[in-house]
């Protein structure tokens, strides 16, 4: 065994110096680096989410609703003496001097957060101090972004609704924020006791209400068991296992995207390894045939080849894992501002994954040639024509194809994406194969009818060489085509989606929307549009409502298997009213109302919504509008051209 290892090592060094191994090793290192970089990054993010789940929600468990938390959900916590705190999150405008800015307001009680801490300071660049409390009444904390946008410093005042509040500190860190990726506006944090005096929460306001709890796992589990049966529509419970689902969703998408990138690297690396393995295999077979001349047994030769394969795979895996580790540092730096602010250290699991992948890819390349060596004898050194007799082309590339397929399924994290990728690769291979056969046939036919010249003779020799090595030539062309396909794809789609989307917009599509116009402001807004020579700027009424029942049957989300139907059944609708149907709407069933129908309890629905929720003409729908029941009868179904980008509604009623 020691002798075989020594011989394998010396032969590996010799092959590297001769250049037979370099391209193969570089391709293997690249594949391992791509795989381990993705594994390192996703593992650290997942570990951070698991370890810091309580910090991401500010407690051990959160009851979240789009309406005030009912007493039935808070009472069990009081009975079990579980510490709780409430938060209120919504978007609104704040003003400083003549400037205004949309912000995400978070009103918190004095004991927020129950887990973790907030970091505040007097300036944006400082380290700050950790606190576990809310701003004092009459004060706010703001993120550095907001301070920059409004040119605000500590001690200045902001107009928040109908209150003037003092900026007491800069909010440097909020673990439950989840990073800038999930922040469409800068944060303003205030004391919940000031919320009522700002008069920001009004009829129709969209507010995220939270009840946070923190206690022992046993108490939290008992509360969850008691509370879940009491949940109604618009209410849910998040714990450390599903904390910040938007972060986990983004992570899944990032992992899938990075996995696809790694998959492309693996595919190209496998093709490169197949092409570059020929000099390595040829020189190895020469060496092994010479060893057979000196009396080496067949098992000894196979043992040396196995050790040599493992040496190449292990060394390539270690180098690739090292490169992957450094590559993921950049991704981790990016994740610090997008996902979570601190990531735990890495483990050895991605290194082991890289080693197994390296060994698998190396074995897939070497195995067909190792199979040939069963019949390797001393005569092969004298009869070079038999030294490189290959297996059939199908058998030669079968292990690599199987390994490539397994790697695609592993990296894609989705069966449909993996199957689509494999189908595309097979289609490309067939196209290239057909192209090679047709091209060589046409060129050879044209040479037969063309007067012979020295140049044409050279071309003919080249064509004959291609035909003799048609399998290798095809594999080489497929490899080049795949590489070019990936490069061209990345080049073409960069910015192409936005350009296509803009080009698909109809002429006259709006590029601005004004929302939250109050009834008393409509006349002023109309005057502004007229002064700015803006035509056809329609103002639509809107009110929030929740669908409660259909034909006196309570709506239950468990009735639908389709995810879209479930979301539609759970969501609040924007109801509007109009006398005339919009030009980008088309009536497909029922009738549109006349002026005699004003004030009648009728409703017109968008056809897709009606189909998803199985609603038909004549169905009686009951909505809950801020606690007030509203019963409407479906009188028509409309097809809505959403691509016009104009304001449209799923549900419309007659005026009054």
């Amino acid at each position: 065994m020691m002798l075989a290892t020594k011989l394998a090592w010396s032969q590996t060094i010799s092959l590297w110096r001769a250049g037979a191994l370099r391209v193969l090793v570089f391709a293997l290192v690249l594949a391992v680096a791509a795989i381990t970089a993705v594994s390192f990054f996703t593992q650290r993010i997942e570990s951070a989410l698991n370890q810091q789940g309580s910090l991401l929600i500010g407690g051990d468990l959160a009851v979240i609703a789009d309406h005030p938390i009912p007493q039935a959900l808070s009472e069990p916590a009081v009975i079990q003496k579980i510490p709780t705190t409430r938060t209120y999150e919504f978007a609104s405008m704040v003003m400083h001097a003549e400037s205004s800015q949309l912000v995400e307001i978070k009103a918190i009680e004095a004991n927020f957060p129950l887990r973790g801490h907030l970091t505040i300071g007097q300036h944006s660049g400082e380290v700050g101090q950790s606190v576990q409390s809310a701003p004092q009444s009459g004060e706010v904390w703001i993120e550095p972004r907001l301070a920059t946008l409004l040119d605000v410093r500590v001690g200045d005042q902001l107009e928040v609704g109908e209150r003037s509040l003092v900026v007491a500190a800069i909010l440097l860190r909020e673990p439950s924020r989840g990073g800038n990726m999930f922040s469409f506006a800068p944060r303003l944090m205030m004391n919940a006791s000031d919320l009522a005096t700002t008069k920001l929460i009004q009829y129709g306001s969209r507010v995220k209400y939270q009840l946070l709890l923190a206690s022992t796992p046993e108490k939290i589990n008992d509360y969850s068991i008691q509370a879940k049966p009491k949940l109604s529509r618009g209410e849910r419970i998040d714990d450390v296992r599903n904390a910040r689902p938007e972060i986990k969703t983004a992570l899944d998408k990032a992992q899938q995207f990075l996995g696809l990138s790694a998959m492309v690297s693996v595919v190209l690396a496998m093709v490169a390894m197949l092409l570059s393995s020929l000099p390595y295999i040829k020189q190895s077979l020469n060496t092994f045939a010479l060893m057979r001349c000196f009396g080496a047994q067949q098992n000894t030769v196979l043992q040396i080849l196995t050790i040599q394969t493992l040496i190449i795979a292990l060394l390539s895996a270690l180098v690739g894992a090292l490169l992957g580790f450094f590559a993921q540092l950049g991704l981790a730096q990016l994740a610090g501002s997008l996902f979570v602010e601190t990531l735990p250290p890495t483990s050895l699991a991605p290194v082991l994954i890289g080693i197994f992948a390296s060994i698998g890819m190396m074995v897939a390349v070497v195995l067909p040639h190792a199979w040939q060596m069963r019949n390797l004898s001393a005569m092969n050194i004298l009869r070079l024509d038999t030294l490189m007799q290959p297996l059939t082309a199908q058998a030669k590339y079968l292990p690599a194809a199987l390994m490539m397929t397994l790697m695609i399924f592993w990296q894609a994290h989705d069966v449909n994406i993996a199957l689509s990728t494999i189908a595309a690769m097979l289609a490309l291979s067939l196209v290239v194969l057909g192209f090679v056969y047709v091209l060589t046939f046409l060129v050879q036919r044209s040479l037969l009818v063309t007067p012979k010249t020295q140049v044409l003779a050279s071309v003919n020799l080249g064509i004959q060489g291609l035909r003799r090595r048609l399998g290798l030539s095809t594999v080489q062309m497929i490899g080049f085509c795949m590489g070019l396909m990936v490069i061209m794809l990345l080049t073409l789609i960069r910015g192409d989606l936005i350009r296509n989307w803009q080009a698909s917009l109809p002429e006259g599509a709006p590029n601005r929307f004004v929302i939250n116009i109050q009834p008393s402001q409509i006349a002023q807004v109309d005057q502004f549009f007229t002064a700015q020579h803006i035509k056809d700027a329609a103002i639509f009424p809107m009110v929030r409502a929740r669908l409660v029942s259909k034909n006196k049957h309570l709506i239950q989300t468990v009735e639908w298997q389709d995810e879209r139907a479930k979301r539609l059944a759970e969501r609040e609708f924007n109801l509007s009213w109009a006398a005339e149907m919009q030009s980008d709407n088309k009536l497909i069933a029922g009738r549109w109302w006349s002026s005699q129908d004003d004030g009648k309890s009728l409703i017109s629905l968008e056809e897709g919504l009606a189909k998803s929720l199985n609603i038909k003409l004549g169905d009686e729908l009951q909505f809950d509008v801020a606690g007030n029941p509203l019963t409407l009868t479906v009188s028509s179904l409309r097809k809505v051209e959403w691509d016009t980008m104009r304001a449209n509604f799923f549900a419309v009623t007659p005026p009054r």
Side-chain angles (χ1 to χ4, degrees):
M1 185 66 181
M2 291 294 295
L3 178 61
T5 303
K6 185 176 180 181
L7 288 173
W9 176 256
S10 61
Q11 187 172 339
T12 303
I13 297 296
S14 176
L15 290 170
W16 174 264
R17 289 173 176 170
L21 265 180
R22 292 177 185 177
V23 176
L24 186 146
V25 169
F26 287 151
L28 192 56
V29 167
L30 173 64
V32 173
I35 294 170
T36 54
V38 174
S39 297
F40 275 126
F41 174 67
T42 54
Q43 182 208 50
R44 293 182 69 188
I45 292 288
E46 289 174 351
S47 298
L49 293 180
N50 292 332
Q51 294 175 13
Q52 302 178 26
S54 296
L55 302 181
L56 290 175
I57 59 177
D60 296 327
L61 186 140
V63 181
I64 302 174
D66 55 11
H67 54 266
I69 305 293
Q71 190 175 358
L73 294 176
S74 59
E75 274 185 351
V78 176
I79 294 172
Q80 297 184 53
K81 298 182 179 179
I82 298 176
T84 62
T85 188
R86 295 174 185 264
T87 68
Y88 312 84
E89 296 184 37
F90 56 94
S92 186
M93 300 293 294
V94 298
M95 296 187 65
H96 173 66
E98 298 299 322
S99 302
S100 61
Q101 175 63 41
L102 180 68
V103 299
E104 290 184 351
I105 294 179
K106 185 168 188 174
I108 61 176
E109 294 182 345
N111 56 338
F112 178 88
L114 299 175
R115 299 293 188 200
H117 57 266
L118 306 170
T119 304
I120 60 174
Q122 299 298 301
H123 306 284
S124 300
E126 64 178 286
V127 177
Q129 60 175 335
S130 299
V131 296
Q132 197 170 18
S133 61
Q136 297 295 319
S137 179
E139 297 179 349
V140 295
W141 298 339
I142 63 173
E143 282 187 339
R145 277 197 297 163
L146 182 56
T148 302
L149 289 169
L150 293 181
D151 192 20
V152 174
R153 296 174 177 80
V154 173
D156 291 345
Q157 291 191 339
L158 291 178
E159 300 298 325
V160 184
E162 297 190 8
R163 280 290 303 275
S164 181
L165 302 176
V166 177
V167 177
I170 302 297
L171 182 61
L172 300 173
R173 184 174 179 268
E174 179 191 352
S176 58
R177 180 75 156 153
N180 292 331
M181 183 176 180
F182 309 96
S183 312
F184 71 89
R187 170 74 82 209
L188 181 145
M189 190 170 287
M190 61 183 293
N191 195 299
S193 62
D194 293 327
L195 192 55
T197 58
T198 63
K199 297 185 180 180
L200 288 173
I201 299 181
Q202 299 288 335
Y203 168 77
S205 296
R206 304 185 68 175
V207 184
K208 177 182 176 182
Y209 298 85
Q210 285 193 106
L211 174 68
L212 303 178
L213 301 87
S215 187
T216 61
E218 293 77 14
K219 284 190 175 183
I220 293 297
N221 186 56
D222 290 342
Y223 172 85
S224 182
I225 293 173
Q226 294 180 43
K228 282 183 178 179
K230 301 177 182 179
L231 293 175
S232 59
R233 293 178 63 192
E235 300 169 356
R236 73 176 191 270
I237 291 180
D238 284 353
D239 56 21
V240 295
R241 290 169 296 182
N242 59 1
R244 301 307 302 268
E246 72 274 22
I247 297 181
K248 291 200 172 184
T249 300
L251 171 63
D252 291 339
K253 296 296 182 183
Q255 184 175 6
Q256 193 173 65
F257 175 78
L258 293 171
L260 289 173
S261 303
M263 180 179 67
V264 171
S265 301
V266 169
V267 170
L268 295 180
M270 287 290 292
V271 173
M273 288 174 65
L274 284 173
L275 298 178
S276 61
S277 65
L278 295 179
Y280 160 65
I281 294 298
K282 181 179 180 180
Q283 192 164 344
S284 296
L285 287 176
N286 284 332
T287 303
F288 291 140
L290 189 60
M291 291 173 62
R292 292 283 283 160
C293 289
F294 288 99
Q297 298 295 318
Q298 180 181 347
N299 289 338
T300 303
V301 170
L302 292 177
Q303 191 178 48
I304 293 173
L305 178 63
T306 302
I307 296 173
Q308 184 177 312
T309 301
L310 291 176
I311 289 174
I312 297 171
L314 288 173
L315 291 177
S316 301
L318 293 177
V319 175
L322 185 63
L323 293 177
F325 174 79
F326 286 112
Q328 64 85 32
L329 292 178
L331 295 174
Q333 185 70 26
L334 178 65
S337 60
L338 297 184
F339 292 103
V340 289
E341 297 187 14
T342 56
L343 294 179
T346 59
S347 69
L348 290 177
V351 178
L352 296 177
I353 291 173
I355 290 174
F356 283 121
S358 179
I359 292 175
M361 287 186 284
M362 194 66 192
V363 168
V365 172
V366 174
L367 185 61
H369 305 286
W371 184 261
Q372 289 180 254
M373 292 185 186
R374 295 176 306 130
N375 302 320
L376 190 66
S377 66
M379 287 297 297
N380 291 116
I381 197 66
L382 301 176
R383 300 180 58 190
L384 295 179
D385 59 318
T386 64
L387 188 61
M388 284 297 294
Q389 287 182 356
L391 302 172
T392 62
Q394 294 82 359
K396 183 177 182 180
Y397 300 119
L398 184 60
L402 291 175
M403 186 64 191
M404 200 179 300
T405 302
L406 291 175
M407 297 292 286
I408 289 173
F409 273 100
W410 176 36
Q411 291 294 327
H413 301 285
D414 185 276
V415 174
N416 292 330
I417 292 177
L419 291 176
S420 300
T421 304
I422 293 171
M425 290 173 57
L426 289 175
L428 177 65
S429 301
L430 291 175
V431 169
V432 172
L433 184 63
F435 177 77
V436 170
Y437 274 100
V438 171
L439 183 64
T440 53
F441 175 78
L442 292 177
V443 172
Q444 192 171 27
R445 287 294 300 270
S446 65
L447 289 174
L448 292 176
V449 297
T450 305
K452 299 294 185 294
T453 64
Q454 186 174 358
V455 174
L456 291 178
S458 302
V459 173
N460 190 38
L461 286 175
I463 295 297
Q464 293 299 328
L466 286 176
R467 295 197 66 178
R468 282 195 300 271
R469 300 180 295 110
L470 194 57
L472 176 61
S473 301
T474 304
V475 172
Q476 288 175 331
M477 290 190 67
I478 290 174
F480 283 121
C481 287
M482 284 185 179
L484 290 173
M485 178 186 70
V486 172
I487 294 172
M488 291 178 65
L489 182 64
L490 293 175
T491 303
L492 289 173
I493 66 173
R494 186 182 60 183
D496 202 40
L497 292 177
I498 295 295
R499 288 195 298 271
N500 288 342
W501 177 71
Q502 290 174 337
S504 68
L505 292 177
E507 181 131 2
N511 52 13
R512 292 290 187 275
F513 294 89
V514 184
I515 62 173
N516 205 24
I517 301 171
Q518 300 305 308
S520 61
Q521 299 171 328
I522 292 178
Q524 293 174 314
V525 172
D526 277 331
Q527 292 174 7
F528 171 79
F529 288 156
T530 302
Q532 300 296 323
H533 306 289
I534 298 174
K535 299 179 180 180
D536 302 325
I539 297 178
F540 298 91
M542 187 180 76
V543 64
R544 305 282 294 177
R546 184 181 295 280
L547 182 61
V548 177
S549 66
K550 182 182 75 171
N551 297 327
K552 299 182 180 179
H553 173 70
L554 288 177
I555 298 292
Q556 302 288 339
T557 55
V558 293
E559 298 177 22
W560 293 277
Q561 298 297 325
D562 182 62
E563 287 298 324
R564 182 174 185 269
K566 287 183 178 180
R567 290 195 300 270
L568 289 171
E570 289 178 344
R571 64 171 284 179
E572 285 187 323
F573 290 93
N574 295 324
L575 300 186
S576 184
W577 52 94
E580 302 293 334
M581 186 167 56
Q582 292 178 232
S583 59
D584 50 6
N585 286 213
K586 181 181 179 181
L587 196 67
I588 61 172
R591 69 174 184 87
W592 189 259
W593 40 75
S594 62
S595 57
Q596 287 79 18
D597 295 319
D598 288 3
K600 291 186 178 180
S601 300
L602 303 176
I603 189 169
S604 175
L605 295 180
E606 190 264 342
E607 62 165 345
L609 169 71
K611 183 178 180 181
S612 296
L613 297 182
N614 194 26
I615 298 174
K616 300 178 177 61
L617 289 176
D619 283 349
E620 189 178 84
L621 306 179
Q622 185 177 42
F623 291 88
D624 182 342
V625 184
N628 300 312
L630 175 64
T631 302
L632 303 169
T633 301
V634 180
S635 63
S636 65
L637 300 178
R638 294 168 293 114
K639 181 179 180 180
V640 178
E641 297 293 339
W642 300 105
D643 291 341
T644 63
M645 295 298 293
R646 297 187 178 277
N648 266 300
F649 297 90
F650 283 112
V652 182
T653 71
R656 306 206 315 266

